[in-house]
Amino acid sequence: LRVTGRHTILYIINTYYDALAKLPDNGVPESPSYLPKNNIFEKHSPPPRHSLTSIGSESVFMAAKYYSEVAMRVFNVIKSWISKYYQDFVSDPALHQRLMIFLDQVVSNESNMTQCGRKAVNIIHRSLALQEASSAAYPIGEIYNHYFNKSGDYSCLSNLAVDCEVMAQQLTILEHWALTEIAPNEFLDKSWVKDKERAPHICSIMQRCDKMSNMVASEVLSGETASTRAKTITRWINVATLCRKYNNFASLLQVVAGLTFSAIQRLKITWYIVPLEIKSELNSLKEVVSVANRFKNMKADIKRCDPPCVPYVGVYLADLISIEEGVQNLNSNGLINFAKMRMLAHTILEIRLYQQTYYDLKVVPDVVKHILVNCSNALCEDKIFERSYTLEPRNQRSPAIDHGASCA
């Protein structure tokens, strides 16, 4: 049902209310009208049950039973809709308002409400409250919109000293917030490739992934001396290790990508100072985020971890593209290929699991601002190479520096 969007759900609910509105005076239901309505929440309430008191008791019982069954089906669909696809109400405030008006009208019509109906409406209200509380778990949307701009100047990088643990936590919150912003329909029909306007949040994540990698490289290159750059590299490797501890594979990939830029790897003097155990840790992290066999190692780590988790979205996008291009929509008999639909649903539902499981971490606004300012001011790839060659020109020989030099 979800594949065709919320309009299908509205159509189904409207069908129930068509049946309810056609309840005749003799209490025997007629066939419902299957003409779709614009919106369920604009429908009139069904006729009050007290209007049926003039007919026989058996007909009244049949009518009451029919009304209760139809009403409960409607309530169950709405409750399921809210719990699984609350993003619809976030992205469409008018829809949320109409839902609240509809529920208020149902509750106010006491003559139409059974005890089970009242309980169902209360459950819907509790579900709305729970989803609203969950969506407010990371109050960083305004910070993100204000500080994530398009400029680029490494001289504007923030110099806020941030503990590695705090940095890893805030990166995790930021990436999980971005993950929860993605609506399920953005994963359908390769929309992030064909029509980016249909997948704005996926495109935003992929864009920021590149910027975050550039930020890491830019921070390394902001150091004027080799020892300063080595300390920055060591610090970011420690942050990446902590991101792995928090099951934040998105930031892990971004940090490792930034440190493995060829413009950073060529800094022989700088890497000569980095302790051997730190470089060994980087090598193990590189194995985790390796793209070999479509991120085989990362997928294995994700499956072994317990939520909350922030997977790298690109892992699932690659799988969805493979399914879309490798399996036909129709089978050999010209019918819908439900095997393909199940594969797509399984992949999207796995992402939904991670979207709906939140971290018990607190937002530190100053650190989030620090990350976003540095991210937006990061150098582009050409400037990164230019800065790298300025700091360590070609054919510059490495001095005899002790491997154990402190980089803490």
Side-chain angles (χ1 to χ4, degrees):
L1 296 178
R2 182 61 193 167
V3 173
T4 56
R6 63 187 179 90
H7 299 291
T8 297
I9 300 177
L10 291 173
Y11 171 77
I12 291 173
I13 301 175
N14 272 308
T15 301
Y16 288 130
Y17 267 86
D18 278 338
L20 197 62
K22 285 185 173 292
L23 191 66
D25 291 338
N26 62 7
V28 180
E30 296 178 358
S31 299
S33 167
Y34 289 96
L35 294 176
K37 304 298 184 296
N38 291 331
N39 199 301
I40 178 178
F41 305 127
E42 296 174 358
K43 293 282 289 180
H44 296 291
S45 298
R49 286 156 63 191
H50 62 71
S51 64
L52 300 174
T53 54
S54 60
I55 60 178
S57 59
E58 183 177 351
S59 296
V60 171
F61 174 78
M62 290 178 61
K65 181 179 179 182
Y66 178 70
Y67 171 83
S68 298
E69 290 178 354
V70 171
M72 289 305 300
R73 285 177 179 267
V74 171
F75 295 148
N76 286 334
V77 172
I78 294 176
K79 183 176 67 175
S80 178
W81 183 11
I82 293 170
S83 63
K84 295 181 179 179
Y85 308 110
Y86 183 70
Q87 187 68 30
D88 286 346
F89 299 93
V90 175
S91 59
D92 189 349
L95 178 68
H96 185 279
Q97 183 180 10
R98 288 196 293 270
L99 171 62
M100 300 306 297
I101 293 173
F102 167 75
L103 293 177
D104 290 341
Q105 289 176 344
V106 170
V107 172
S108 64
N109 192 351
E110 293 291 339
S111 61
N112 280 334
M113 289 294 290
T114 63
Q115 183 176 0
C116 291
R118 281 190 288 272
K119 288 182 179 179
V121 172
N122 290 335
I123 291 173
I124 291 173
H125 277 295
R126 287 198 298 270
S127 297
L128 278 171
L130 179 62
Q131 292 295 336
E132 288 171 358
S134 297
S135 64
Y138 305 140
I140 61 179
E142 292 184 4
I143 299 175
Y144 179 87
N145 293 330
H146 186 269
Y147 284 94
F148 194 71
N149 54 54
K150 304 295 183 181
S151 62
D153 180 2
Y154 86 92
S155 64
C156 296
L157 293 179
S158 168
N159 293 318
L160 179 64
V162 182
D163 178 74
C164 291
E165 185 86 25
V166 176
M167 176 64 80
Q169 290 177 356
Q170 300 309 300
L171 286 171
T172 300
I173 291 173
L174 183 61
E175 291 300 326
H176 193 264
W177 169 79
L179 181 68
T180 60
E181 289 290 290
I182 304 176
N185 61 304
E186 293 189 35
F187 293 105
L188 298 175
D189 196 31
K190 298 189 295 184
S191 57
W192 63 93
V193 177
K194 294 180 178 179
D195 184 3
K196 294 184 178 181
E197 292 184 358
R198 290 169 48 203
H201 298 101
I202 291 179
C203 295
S204 176
I205 283 182
M206 303 310 294
Q207 178 191 25
R208 194 178 62 259
C209 180
D210 294 336
K211 279 184 168 284
M212 291 291 287
S213 298
N214 289 351
M215 179 195 74
V216 173
S218 298
E219 285 199 12
V220 172
L221 295 172
S222 66
E224 296 294 336
T225 64
S227 60
T228 302
R229 295 191 293 274
K231 289 179 182 179
T232 304
I233 288 173
T234 301
R235 174 174 170 274
W236 274 113
I237 293 174
N238 290 334
V239 170
T241 302
L242 290 168
C243 285
R244 187 182 183 187
K245 184 187 81 170
Y246 287 111
N247 298 330
N248 179 7
F249 295 93
S251 295
L252 171 60
L253 177 70
Q254 294 161 6
V255 174
V256 172
L259 294 175
T260 54
F261 270 148
S262 57
I264 302 300
Q265 289 290 299
R266 65 168 295 278
L267 301 174
K268 295 181 180 180
I269 298 176
T270 300
W271 283 101
Y272 195 83
I273 305 174
V274 178
L276 292 175
E277 62 271 17
I278 297 297
K279 288 188 279 191
S280 176
E281 178 66 20
L282 177 60
N283 289 332
S284 66
L285 295 176
K286 286 164 63 177
E287 287 295 319
V288 174
V289 299
S290 171
V291 299
N293 297 319
R294 294 196 310 187
F295 297 98
K296 178 182 178 181
N297 294 338
M298 186 185 293
K299 287 180 179 178
D301 270 22
I302 291 173
K303 289 188 179 297
R304 282 194 295 266
C305 75
D306 294 324
C309 172
V310 186
Y312 172 54
V313 174
V315 172
Y316 296 98
L317 298 184
D319 289 345
L320 291 171
I321 289 177
S322 177
I323 296 171
E324 290 282 7
E325 296 181 349
V327 185
Q328 297 295 322
N329 289 331
L330 303 179
N331 60 24
S332 57
N333 297 322
L335 302 175
I336 295 176
N337 188 349
F338 280 97
K340 175 179 179 177
M341 303 307 158
R342 280 191 290 268
M343 288 189 286
L344 291 172
H346 175 78
T347 302
I348 296 174
L349 286 174
E350 186 173 340
I351 301 171
R352 292 289 296 165
L353 170 65
Y354 300 127
Q355 287 180 314
Q356 295 171 342
T357 310
Y358 288 82
Y359 285 87
D360 186 19
L361 299 173
K362 293 184 178 180
V363 175
V364 182
D366 287 343
V367 179
V368 174
K369 293 175 186 177
H370 162 79
I371 294 170
L372 295 175
V373 167
N374 284 5
C375 185
S376 61
N377 289 329
L379 296 172
C380 65
E381 191 169 342
D382 291 340
K383 293 293 184 181
I384 288 174
F385 273 98
E386 181 180 325
R387 176 70 176 166
S388 175
Y389 284 114
T390 300
L391 293 171
E392 294 188 22
R394 289 185 177 91
N395 302 323
Q396 184 176 1
R397 298 184 62 182
S398 303
I401 301 176
D402 182 11
H403 276 287
S406 175
C407 297

